[in-house]
């Protein structure tokens, strides 16, 4: 009994120390972004479900479930959420440019979520492309660069977060066996679908001293992908995509105490254990500091 009591005391003290350390980190403006504004920032969700017949792309049944979850989640995280549905490629770019041109001076962050079909695409910076409902695609790197420090100065030095639920290609990952492989967790009546289409290629380095204080143009950017480049991203027609369902659950449980990178590691681990086919989320992280969401 004494050993059990000691163990409980140790666990309680560790949890208190951990929570205290996280709170000190959150308040250290040299190590963590300041997210004090209320609202914290804008969150734009582009939810493409219905595609024109000539595009050859299927209806993304279940995506509305993802959209509703994310609307609720980011509102709870103190974002002003705007949803735009079934946009062509041109309309997607117009919506993104319009968001970037707003005055974000009084805000602390910006979030863009894309729910659509996607494909592998040639790139220099960020892999992949997402489809408009007209069957035309928009490269992820073009989307991200609309919000970089040069194009969107009112978000300079502030975190810009992108969450991409779309396939990165057509490859289906069968995974590999490990000793402690998790049991199959797919519901018997679930019907997973891929958000994939085939790959089609789209038709001075000198160091100089800064005259004024500045930041790198691509700084403060975080792009979270639902799957590894080149691979399928799975979506259940009833419960929504594996990635968004997991993201929402992880944020609900841990966003009050953990930073963004830690949250996305939890998401990656949980999604990697799902299904007969496998899926591996990942990210491109160009943040300069830890990011803790505003939850109170």
């Amino acid at each position: 009994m004494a050993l059990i009591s000691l163990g409980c005391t140790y666990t309680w003290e560790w949890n208190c120390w951990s929570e205290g350390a996280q709170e000190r980190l959150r308040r250290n403006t040299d190590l963590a972004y300041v997210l004090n504004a209320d609202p914290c920032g804008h969150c734009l969700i582009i939810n493409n479900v219905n595609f024109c017949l000539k595009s050859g792309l299927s209806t993304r049944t279940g995506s509305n479930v993802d959209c509703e979850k994310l609307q609720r989640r980011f509102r709870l995280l103190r974002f002003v959420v705007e949803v735009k549905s079934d946009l062509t490629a041109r309309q997607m770019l117009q919506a993104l440019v319009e968001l970037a041109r707003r005055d974000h001076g009084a805000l602390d962050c910006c979030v863009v979520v894309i729910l659509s079909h996607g494909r592998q695409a040639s790139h220099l910076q960020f892999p992949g492309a997402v489809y408009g409902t007209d069957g035309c695609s928009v490269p992820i790197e073009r989307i991200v660069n609309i919000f970089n420090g040069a194009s969107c100065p009112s978000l300079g030095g502030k975190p810009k977060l992108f969450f991409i639920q779309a396939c990165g290609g057509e490859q289906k990952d069968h995974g590999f066996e490990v000793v402690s492989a998790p049991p199959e967790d797919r519901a018997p009546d679930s019907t997973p679908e891929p958000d994939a289409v085939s790959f089609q290629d789209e038709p001075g380095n000198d160091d100089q001293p800064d005259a004024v204080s500045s930041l790198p143009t691509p700084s403060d950017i975080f792009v979270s992908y639902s799957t590894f480049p080149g691979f399928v991203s799975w979506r259940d027609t009833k419960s929504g995509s594996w990635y968004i369902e997991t993201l929402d659950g992880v944020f609900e449980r841990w966003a009050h105490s953990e930073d963004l990178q830690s949250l996305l590691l939890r998401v990656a681990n949980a999604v990697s254990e799902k299904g007969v086919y496998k899926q591996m989320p990942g990210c491109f992280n160009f943040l300069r500091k830890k990011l803790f969401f505003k939850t109170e």
Side-chain angles (χ1 to χ4, degrees):
M1 182 67 72
L3 288 174
I4 295 175
S5 175
L6 178 62
C8 291
T9 301
Y10 176 80
T11 301
W12 179 81
E13 289 177 349
W14 170 260
N15 287 339
C16 288
W17 178 88
S18 179
E19 291 174 3
Q22 290 279 26
E23 185 60 29
R24 288 193 296 273
L25 176 59
R26 183 193 293 262
R27 294 179 181 277
N28 188 332
T29 58
D30 290 332
L31 300 177
Y33 289 102
V34 175
L35 268 65
N36 288 334
D38 197 358
C40 179
H42 293 289
C43 171
L44 173 63
I45 302 174
I46 296 178
N47 181 31
N48 286 344
V49 178
N50 304 294
F51 294 78
C52 70
L53 185 62
K54 67 177 183 179
S55 72
L57 299 170
S58 61
T59 301
R60 298 184 59 256
T61 308
S63 187
N64 287 333
V65 177
D66 288 343
C67 187
E68 290 169 4
K69 288 177 180 176
L70 292 178
Q71 276 186 271
R72 177 178 178 274
R73 182 59 48 207
F74 281 104
R75 282 173 180 160
L76 289 172
L77 295 176
R78 302 296 194 271
F79 285 85
V80 177
V81 180
E82 181 180 7
V83 175
K84 292 185 179 291
S85 300
D86 292 344
L87 302 186
T88 64
R90 181 182 295 272
Q91 290 170 336
M92 290 172 66
L93 287 171
Q94 289 174 341
L96 293 162
V97 169
E98 188 273 331
L99 176 60
R101 287 178 176 172
R102 294 180 188 177
D103 184 3
H104 301 263
L107 305 174
D108 292 331
C109 186
C110 185
V111 173
V112 172
V113 180
I114 309 289
L115 311 173
S116 191
H117 284 297
R119 68 172 181 86
Q120 190 174 355
S122 59
H123 65 281
L124 296 175
Q125 300 165 338
F126 300 95
V130 287
Y131 276 91
T133 55
D134 55 349
C136 297
S137 63
V138 181
I140 300 299
E141 64 183 20
R142 184 173 182 185
I143 291 171
V144 172
N145 284 330
I146 290 172
F147 296 87
N148 67 26
S151 302
C152 185
S154 68
L155 280 172
K158 302 174 182 181
K160 297 159 280 278
L161 315 179
F162 301 83
F163 298 89
I164 311 297
Q165 166 53 46
C167 279
E170 289 190 300
Q171 296 185 63
K172 296 180 180 179
D173 186 2
H174 293 270
F176 64 96
E177 292 187 4
V178 293
V179 174
S180 58
E184 170 57 43
D185 63 352
R186 189 178 66 187
D189 60 345
S190 67
T191 49
E193 295 181 346
D195 279 328
V197 290
S198 61
F199 167 73
Q200 295 177 353
D201 199 5
E202 295 279 354
N205 298 325
D206 295 335
D207 276 339
Q208 298 181 356
D210 293 333
V212 295
S213 178
S214 62
L215 289 172
T217 300
S219 65
D220 309 296
I221 288 172
F222 189 96
V223 185
S224 176
Y225 289 86
S226 62
T227 191
F228 194 82
F231 283 85
V232 160
S233 182
W234 294 100
R235 169 178 38 81
D236 190 279
T237 56
K238 295 181 180 179
S239 59
S241 66
W242 294 359
Y243 167 72
I244 297 299
E245 181 180 30
T246 306
L247 183 81
D248 179 59
V250 167
F251 278 24
E252 179 177 24
R253 184 171 181 183
W254 300 104
H256 70 282
S257 61
E258 294 189 353
D259 70 285
L260 179 63
Q261 295 174 61
S262 299
L263 295 171
L264 269 296
L265 283 175
R266 289 185 181 274
V267 172
N269 185 53
V271 172
S272 73
E273 295 178 346
K274 289 180 175 289
V276 175
Y277 286 113
K278 312 308 292 184
Q279 181 175 326
M280 188 69 244
C283 65
F284 280 61
N285 180 12
F286 296 96
L287 298 179
R288 297 175 295 112
K289 304 178 183 182
K290 297 283 188 180
L291 188 147
F292 295 89
F293 285 111
K294 185 180 179 69
T295 57
E296 298 180 354

